[in-house]
Amino acid sequence: MPFLLLYSCKEERAVERINQNPVILSEGLFTSLPGEIVVLEDYLVWLDHTSLEGFVHIVERKTGKEVKSFGKIGEGPDEFITPRITKCLTNSFILSDLNYAKQFLIIIGSDNFSEDISPSFRDYEIKPENNFIYLAPNTYVSITPEASVPFNLLSESHKSGFGKFPVTNEKITNGINVFQGIVQYNPNNNYLLYSIGAMSYVALYENKNNQFNLKWEKTLSEVSWDIKEEGKLVINETPKYAPTAIALTKNYIISIERDKERTAASTPRKYNGRDFSRVPTTLFVYDYNLSLIKIIDTGLPIIRISSDGKSDELFFICLDTEFAIGKLSVQ
């Protein structure tokens, strides 16, 4: 029964715990399942996974005022089945579909938004189901957990794979399931973070002139796994999951995690189905070596987090009676 152990990340000193009241920018989000949120220069963009029409919401970053909603669920040429958003240039983002090879470049204008929505399909061998990161015009990183390496750097001139999985001495045939981690990229310090929850694995890469180099890889606990028939990796036990709700700020790696030393594993269920009141209210603040610096208790269940990477300002979707958008600055 193999174990995965590269580096054990332990809390060796007292961690500062503080209570910090966030600023609520926008209250009463009309949704029962808020999706991802991205931070642009002047706007916040978030997805509503329960709306059939108007599932993309554009909000002023300073005021929290919604300025536009659009998008229709369907199978038409301008419609989406499983939409997602990817941060792009200053005030633009890519709207794509997990089930169809389509991309729309959305440029947020000041006057007429509908004229600024234009189709921009790019065929860089990015499978619809694979997430991707925008680096520069016509340059992407595609996340490929089913391949021999986790990432592909794609541009008009070349294609090159890079990175490594936590299990390297075995041929794994179900990587799409066991290595489908969370990937975040900060274009301001050029760091790419790869975190696989069930493998208790986190790795940091640095981009220098479109060459990604591994700075470190760490495991947070000893993971027990086996290789079954036809190279299928089966995870038997994960003592500590790696964080999977992550944002990269200027100086910190921030994650949504439960402070188990101060709170119970979970609060009693209040509702049937999804009960977001039971999600953590705490944010774990790490430096870029994954050393835990502090734990911030916001007093509100935090659902999604995001940052522009230029500062240590964090934006999030939380539950405050109703769903809301908030922000706080990490000192």
Side-chain angles (χ1 to χ4, degrees), residues 25-250:
L25 294 173
S26 181
E27 298 180 294
L29 303 186
F30 190 69
T31 179
S32 59
L33 183 59
E36 62 262 43
I37 180 172
V38 298
V39 182
L40 305 179
E41 187 75 18
D42 301 306
Y43 301 94
L44 309 173
V45 183
W46 67 278
L47 282 185
D48 176 8
H49 285 313
T50 58
S51 178
L52 297 179
E53 193 163 353
F55 57 81
V56 178
H57 296 264
I58 300 174
V59 174
E60 288 182 350
R61 177 170 169 167
K62 289 184 178 180
T63 67
K65 178 183 176 181
E66 180 165 301
V67 294
K68 181 70 175 179
S69 65
F70 67 92
K72 186 175 182 180
I73 298 297
E75 298 184 8
D78 297 336
E79 299 174 344
F80 295 81
I81 297 295
T82 46
R84 64 181 169 192
I85 49 177
T86 302
K87 184 176 179 178
C88 193
L89 296 173
T90 303
N91 279 321
S92 62
F93 61 97
I94 296 172
L95 177 63
S96 59
D97 197 313
L98 285 164
N99 283 294
Y100 290 92
K102 63 172 67 174
Q103 296 179 358
F104 284 74
L105 176 63
I106 311 300
I107 303 172
I108 303 175
S110 58
D111 298 320
N112 192 325
F113 285 87
S114 63
E115 291 182 357
D116 293 325
I117 301 174
S118 58
S120 181
F121 173 70
R122 297 180 174 90
D123 184 8
Y124 286 113
E125 301 181 29
I126 299 176
K127 296 180 179 180
E129 66 271 18
N130 286 351
N131 286 321
F132 61 92
I133 295 167
Y134 174 93
L135 294 182
N138 302 324
T139 306
Y140 303 86
V141 169
S142 175
I143 293 89
T144 55
E146 77 287 356
S148 58
V149 292
F151 307 105
N152 261 329
L153 178 63
L154 305 169
S155 70
E156 290 179 314
S157 59
H158 75 282
K159 168 185 174 182
S160 60
F162 70 91
K164 57 181 296 191
F165 293 115
V167 177
T168 58
N169 57 346
E170 302 280 353
K171 182 174 177 58
I172 307 302
T173 58
N174 62 329
I176 191 71
N177 297 318
V178 295
F179 296 147
Q180 186 74 264
I182 299 299
V183 180
Q184 292 290 338
Y185 182 70
N186 185 341
N188 296 285
N189 58 21
N190 298 313
Y191 285 138
L192 183 151
L193 188 81
Y194 181 33
S195 181
I196 311 175
M199 294 298 294
S200 193
Y201 175 84
V202 186
L204 187 74
Y205 294 82
E206 185 176 15
N207 178 15
K208 293 184 177 180
N209 299 318
N210 284 342
Q211 294 289 328
F212 283 83
N213 300 307
L214 179 65
K215 287 187 67 69
W216 51 254
E217 56 179 346
K218 304 178 182 183
T219 57
L220 311 185
S221 64
E222 296 184 2
V223 177
S224 169
W225 51 268
D226 287 311
I227 303 295
K228 300 296 185 179
E229 295 180 359
E230 298 179 348
K232 182 180 179 181
L233 188 148
V234 176
I235 301 171
N236 302 313
E237 182 181 7
T238 305
K240 178 178 174 60
Y241 277 70
T244 55
I246 299 170
L248 304 183
T249 71
K250 179 180 179 180

Side-chain angles (χ1 to χ4, degrees), residues 264-321:
S266 62
T267 57
R269 180 177 291 275
K270 295 181 181 179
Y271 315 102
N272 293 325
R274 298 187 185 96
D275 185 357
F276 289 105
S277 68
R278 305 172 77 234
V279 306
T281 64
T282 45
L283 299 167
F284 281 45
V285 181
Y286 301 88
D287 63 19
Y288 271 94
N289 287 316
L290 205 63
S291 296
L292 184 59
I293 304 299
K294 67 177 69 177
I295 298 174
I296 300 174
D297 194 339
T298 66
L300 297 170
I302 304 294
I303 315 300
R304 314 285 184 188
I305 56 176
S306 186
S307 171
D308 65 3
K310 293 181 179 180
S311 69
D312 291 319
E313 190 173 48
L314 185 78
F315 292 85
F316 53 84
I317 297 178
C318 64
L319 183 63
D320 183 16
T321 306

